[in-house]
Each structure stands twice: as C-alpha cells, then as structure tokens.
Amino acid sequence: MIYNKITSGILSSIKLIVGDDAVITSHTDLEKYSHDETEDLHYYPEVVVKPKTPQEIAALMRLCNENLIPVTPRGAGTGLSGGALAVMGGLLISMERFNKVLGIDEQNLQATVEPGVVTEEFMNQVAAKGLLYPVDPASKGSCFIGGNVSHGSGGPRVVKYGTIREYILNLEVVLPSGDIIWTGANTLKYASGYNLTQLMIGAEGTLGIITKIVVKLIPGPTHDALLLASFSTNENACSAVSAIFRAGIVPSALEFMERRGVEWVKEHDGIAFDLKDEIEAFLLIEVDGTNQDVIFADCEKINEVLEEFDCKDVLFADTSAQKEELWRMRRTMAVSVKSNSIYKEEDTVVPRASLPQLIKGIKEIGNKYGFESICYGHAGDGNVHTNIIKGLMSDDDWNNKLKDGIREIFELTVSLGGTISGEHGIGMVQKDYMSIKFAEVHFEIWRGIKKVFDKNGILNPGKIF
Amino acid sequence: MIYNKITSGILSSIKLIVGDDAVITSHTDLEKYSHDETEDLHYYPEVVVKPKTPQEIAALMRLCNENLIPVTPRGAGTGLSGGALAVMGGLLISMERFNKVLGIDEQNLQATVEPGVVTEEFMNQVAAKGLLYPVDPASKGSCFIGGNVSHGSGGPRVVKYGTIREYILNLEVVLPSGDIIWTGANTLKYASGYNLTQLMIGAEGTLGIITKIVVKLIPGPTHDALLLASFSTNENACSAVSAIFRAGIVPSALEFMERRGVEWVKEHDGIAFDLKDEIEAFLLIEVDGTNQDVIFADCEKINEVLEEFDCKDVLFADTSAQKEELWRMRRTMAVSVKSNSIYKEEDTVVPRASLPQLIKGIKEIGNKYGFESICYGHAGDGNVHTNIIKGLMSDDDWNNKLKDGIREIFELTVSLGGTISGEHGIGMVQKDYMSIKFAEVHFEIWRGIKKVFDKNGILNPGKIF
C-alpha cells in the first residue's frame, strides 16, 4: 500500500474539522506521541489531532480515506506492543479528549464511558456506587479504557471475574468509511448476527475507532484477603498454581513473581521486604467475596495446597496498608525492571498447568542466548510476562541474535498450547512471530476481514499481520 | 446465488467420501432432518450425510464448493430459529456421529469435546469430576453442544457464570474451502489477532463447521438454594429482578414465569402445585456457592427485596426433589405451551430494568392484534421468551396480520435498548426483523465477512441476513 503525505491543503482541511487548537504539528510537541511503553521505539506521526466528537473523527476518516493518509488511533500510550505507534507516519488521532464517564446506570448495572477515560478513574467512580468493573491492568492508573478494549487487556482479576470480553456489551465505532455504528446492543445476551462487538475487542484499532463503550458492572466484593507465598524454586511456585484451582478455589488474583523482580522493586521503590536467600519465587494470592468466614476458610485450604509444594513461608497481609504494599510490589515490577535495564517484554501465555515447563524452558533459552529474564504475571491464567534483560549482552547480540531467542520462546509457548499474546496484543513488535502459531489461511482470513472494514488499508497500518 | 442440485454423479462422490452407510436419501428417512423445534416448518434436504471426521467434512465442502451445492450443518435439531433447516435443499451434514468427549483435563480445568455431544451428558461427565460447565439451555437433555456454540446459546445460569463466550477457548473448524483450522489457542487469555473463536460463536454455522470444541471449566458450587416467589402482577415480579442485583446479590438463576405458563405445565406435566387465584407471575430464584450460611444470608436479603415488591408468597425448596420439581416446571414450559397450541416463540432481550415495560408492551400489542402471549425466561439477563399463542386467531390473521404484531414487539424491544435475539439466534425466522435494529452498513459488513469465509455462499444459505 502506498500512502500519501499530509499536504498543507489536507492540513487546512484537518484544522477545519477539529479546530486549530486540536492540531499538533511541531516536532517537539509530536515527541510525546511518537512512542508508547514498548521498548525504545520512536515513530513520529506527521500530524496529531485531538478530536472531541465521533462526527469529527468520521470527517477525518473520510478525508484520510480520500487522500490515502494513514490514520493511527491512540489511547494513553501505555501499550507494550507498539499498537499506538504511527509506523507509516500520517495522522495520529489521540482520544484524550474523550474523557467522560457518560453515565452509570444503577438500575441495569451498566455504564457508558468514553474511550479516553483512565481505567482506574472509571473503576473508582463505579466502586463509589458499590459496583465493580474488574478489568484492571497493571497500568490502570494511566491507561485508557479504550486501549484496554482494543487490546483485549486483562489484569490480575480475570482469573476470577473473566476477561474484558465478558464486560463489554456494546461499542460505538467510527469506521474507516466514516460511518458511525453501534456494534451490538446494551444487553447481557446477544445472538443477533456476527458479533461485531467481540470482533472489535482486540482488533487493536485496525477496524474502527471506538468512541463509546457500554460496560457491564457487577456487585463488588465486600471482603478480601491477600497472601504472599514464598518458594525455593520457580517450579514449585508454578506447580502450586493449578493445584489451587483443583482444590476448588477460584482466587480473585494469583500472581507469580520471580525473585529478581522483587529485588529490583525493592531497590527501585524502596519497598521494605525481608527477602530470604533461599527464596526463588513468590505467589501473590488474593481471595475475595462477601463473607469473611468463607474467605478465611479458602485461605486455610490454599495454605494446605501450598504446603504440598514445599512453600517456605506464607505472609498474610493484616492491614489494608500491607495489602497495598504487596500489590504495589507486583504492579510496579514492570517500571522497576525498565528503570534497571534495557529490556524487551514478551506476553507469553499457556494453559496454566504448563507454566512450570514454560518458565524452565525460558531459562534454558536464556542460557543458550546469554540473556537473563525476569518472569512475572498472571499465573492463574497461565499468562506470564517474560522480561528479557539486556544486561551485559552486546548491542549486536541484542539487536540481531536475540530475535532467534525470542522466536524460540514463542515456539516453546506454542508447543505448550499457548499463543503469541495473552493480553498485550500483537501490535508491530510481536507481528514477526505470528507465523509460529498461525498458518497462511489465518492470515488470509484476517486480511479479508480487514478489507471488509477498511478497503484502502488506512487505519493503523503495519499492525498485527 | 444459483445453486445446483445433487446429481447421481455427485451422490456417488459423496458416498465415496463418507461410505454408503452414512448417506440418507429416502424421503421417509429425510423427514427427521427436515424440521427442528421452530414452529411448523419443513424443508427437505436432498441428501443427508453423517460424517465421522473433519477430513470427511473437508472433502464434502470441497465437492459442494466445486459444484455449488448448498451445505447445511445440523446439530440435534432443537433450534428455535430454523438455523439447521436446509432451506435451499442440497446437502445436510448431521454432526450426530461427532459424539465423543475427547478429554477432560483436570490439571488445566479444560475439556475437549466433539460438537455432537448432548450438552447435559457433557455437564454430567464434568460434574463427576467436581467441575462445572454452566451453560445449560432448557433443551440441555437433547441439544448438542456444537449447536449451543453456533447459536451463542445461554440458559438460566448465564446471569451468574457468564455467557458461552466466556467458556469456549478454541474451536476446530472446517471452512467452506475445505481448510481445517484451529481458531485460537487453549488459553484463558488471548490477544493474538482478530478473534476467530468469538466470530464463530453465534455465526449459526454460516462461516464454518465446528468439529472440536475446547471448553473452560470451573470448580463447581457445593451448595444451592431455590426459591419460588409469587406476585399478583407481572410488573411487580419484573421490577424485583433488577432490585435483587442492586442489593448486591448475583443469583445463579433468576427466571420469570407467567401464570398461564404455569397453568399449562400443571395440565401437561401433572405437576402438583397450588396456584392461587390472585397470582399472575413467578420468579424462580437460585443462589449457589460453597457455603450454606452465605447462601442462607443471601436468601434472607432476597426475601427483604421481594417484600418491597409486594411479593405474595415465597416457597423455599427444602429437598432436592422439590428443587427438581420447580426446575422441571420452568424447563418444560416450552414443551407444555407447544402441546397446548400452535405458537411462535420470539427471543426478546432488553436491559433488565426495562423488563416491566417490555412485558406490559407485549400485552398491549397482543390486545391490538388479538393474540394471547405467554412470557417466561431468563429475567436476570433481561431475556424473556415471548410465546405467541394462536388460540382462536384465524389462520389468515395468524399467517399474515401477526407479522405486523411481531414487528411491533421487536420495535418495542429495540426501542428499549434490546435486540432481535438473546440466545436463540436469528436463523431464517427472525431474519425479517433484523432491519429494525440494524442499518445497511451492518448488513454490508456481515455480507463482507461471510464472503471472506465462503466466497460461493454454499454454507447454510438463507440464514441471519
């Protein structure tokens, strides 16, 4: 596909649509929009706009379609796969002004929210009414809910409450043609033709730009308990994970953390934590519900399971301050790793009982290619973020040889029944590994679907496939 | 689209693929495959085959594609929208020989199952291992799980446990081209390109034929309680529904039944039940979990809510025999209605707080067009099955005038934020009403997607749109 550049004439048209104050063209101001949280990548769009209405976006889409200008939609730029990067230049549409919670419907336990609302702000507004929206990625304090939808984002509580797919009922979307549609209905059940809502979730902004989101809410839990269990081997920690479910417990979070990650969080965040020499891995386990006794009984059962896997120590968080501290340890791990070293993050996911083999295999691949890795994440879902640390690796090895190592990690992941991304999306960074998992017929179908929505291929080009 | 007939030459090729014993051509034997549970419709396929492997289906698809023969996949034929009817003739592929549970993976809480397994048989096998697959349509004793997936089927427990979309992890599918693919991965999280698993769910067998299903399982509840609440008005019963959720309770079932439905069940099934004159509607409410005290406490809270809505009586099922009897009342309602009168069933769904307006409006439309209706179903999801009774209506009114009445019901449903089907699918029966809810751009997208999978339009033609 050959795209055109944004000429001064097109720029004038853009300004007519959104107003001068919503247009950014200076290199300095574009910098902020040239990267996300993915490694060290920079791609400058030619122009950034900050529209306020679906109609403005529709007009921009028509203009760019007529002139074959690439359009990249962008949420908060917290993505980890480069999905919001304008890799072909062109127009970047920042959704930051779509920042209102339009309504919380307490009769129906639904909310309508714009895509540029920060996830945690939305969760807090909902919680103030005693309700729960449980999809909370680690970046919840800064990411936008629209980005979460577009990437099929998860978080710790998916393990109990289900994926984001279960909470998104309906979407208002601007299509590349400029048409504005609602994808479905504001109903809990929906069996009315191909499900376009589900197709948009995880489409990484390549099929349309989401402008309103109707979300299902549920009554929130009133009590919870948090345990930190320590193990002398990764394998014991990972093996305990599926045993907890087999004991009939569905925790509201079941997170795995490697020792090295905890060490770096201690350094970076100054979290006071007594890290014993023998400990190699941790499980952070949360149980929630509406009855304290049941939660205690669940904790007892979990304790029994942990003992079977040679758990060295269980720390029970007594106060909400302690709980916050333990959660902070887990949530800041990505930032701590980043501040310590150049790194790459791969979002590996396998059936949960295969976690021990996955982690073991990743370490072996690291030994072969000479890199250290730190694994942590949503063990209850079999979803572990594999952070590859540059450390002492040469630039040449890092930029070239490492690709083969990452390929081996994904080959292992796929051989264990897993896939290329659990919740970060494919974007541009994981794109090269898709052929490990998928055959040409998948690519043909995806390209076909893309073409149905976006015949000129203007929307978020260079992503997924 | 112009289709060809199955010639004797093509029939020979079909027999070569599946073997003579798997082919049905006699009119008498075809009768069974000419209808489903939808009204009084009959469409005879030219030939029925009962393949045993995905490879046989792939060969049939290639043959039919080359010769432009329509192919209709069929589960147990329990559908309520005509999705399994060979409306264009051609080849009907019965999935009845795909009847094996291939494995229950207790490590990962997953199962792999063929589409022709009866849903309840699968649930029982899973329950024997202390696990739960919660998607149980009223027809669970006879329907196939493959049909459930294809129609996005629900059932009473969706209200607590989520839709079938949350439980289907991966599908093996034979495409119209003859390619056999897995749509995704056996993982709980998946953010790896357009989600073809979700696209297949609810596609009513128009994009591919499902040959294997990977299902997520969860630890089952150990206790439950069942209440039957009686109300003197439909409105009070319906209004209580959303109040129960607002009180912080998520029941494992919350079913609405109109008096007339209960009367007919009493007659048809001889269920002993004291039906007081003043009662117009019932709610059947189930709560489940792992702790009896919590369940009792929830029942207490529910009782308090019910009192606010002038509930006349609450029957608490003391024994499992009583529970079974109450559930039988609800589950046999469709059959009882059918045995009493010619009827049509519309699968209306709205946001749950709009149920009172929906039921009231349906009665008003009935008065206008001269039909009686019996409404019952999954009130907790806002999903009510509206049974329109022929009763004394003339054949002419039934066959002609009634269409306008049904149209008004769907116009009302859509005006309340609802859609054309919650869990039965569109098939051929609801197709005419889709334009009430959807604009031309939706149809264009659906047709486009269909074409990506099935360029010659051979697979299940005449359905959805």
Side-chain angles (χ1 to χ4, degrees), chain B residues 76 306 334:
Chain B
L306 294 175

Side-chain angles (χ1 to χ4, degrees), chain B residues 127-165:
Chain B
K129 296 182 186 294
L131 297 173
L132 176 66
Y133 169 68
V135 186
D136 56 344
S139 58
K140 66 180 179 180
S142 53
C143 64
F144 289 171
I145 190 168
N148 299 168
V149 174
S150 292
H151 283 78
S153 300
R157 290 198 278 191
V158 165
V159 69
K160 173 169 178 176
Y161 290 102
T163 64
I164 196 168
R165 295 187 175 279

Side-chain angles (χ1 to χ4, degrees), chain A residues 159 241 245 254 347-355 358 377-385 413 418 422, chain B residues 108 187-189:
Chain A
V159 69
V241 170
F245 293 88
L254 211 179
D347 181 32
T348 48
V349 60
V350 293
R352 72 166 80 93
S354 299
L355 268 184
L358 178 67
H378 318 301
D381 303 315
N383 180 206
V384 166
H385 305 314
T413 305
Chain B
N108 284 304
T187 53
L188 295 168
K189 283 178 177 167

Side-chain angles (χ1 to χ4, degrees), chain A residues 101-159:
Chain A
V101 177
L102 298 174
I104 298 176
D105 175 352
E106 292 182 79
Q107 297 287 316
N108 283 306
L109 305 197
Q110 296 181 2
T112 305
V113 55
E114 290 186 324
V117 171
V118 171
T119 304
E120 190 167 41
E121 278 176 26
F122 175 61
M123 296 179 76
N124 289 344
Q125 286 196 34
V126 160
K129 296 182 186 294
L131 298 172
L132 176 66
Y133 169 69
V135 186
D136 57 344
S139 58
K140 65 178 178 179
S142 53
C143 63
F144 288 171
I145 189 167
N148 298 168
V149 175
S150 291
H151 283 77
S153 300
R157 291 198 277 192
V158 164
V159 69

Side-chain angles (χ1 to χ4, degrees), chain A residues 351-377:
Chain A
R352 72 166 80 93
S354 299
L355 268 184
Q357 291 119 286
L358 178 67
I359 306 276
K360 185 162 167 279
I362 289 170
K363 300 301 168 190
E364 285 165 4
I365 295 166
N367 289 339
K368 178 172 165 191
Y369 286 88
F371 62 79
E372 189 189 359
S373 62
I374 298 182
C375 298
Y376 60 87

Side-chain angles (χ1 to χ4, degrees), chain B residues 187-198:
Chain B
T187 53
L188 295 168
K189 283 178 177 167
Y190 182 88
S192 309
Y194 305 149
N195 197 306
L196 301 185
T197 310
Q198 293 295 327

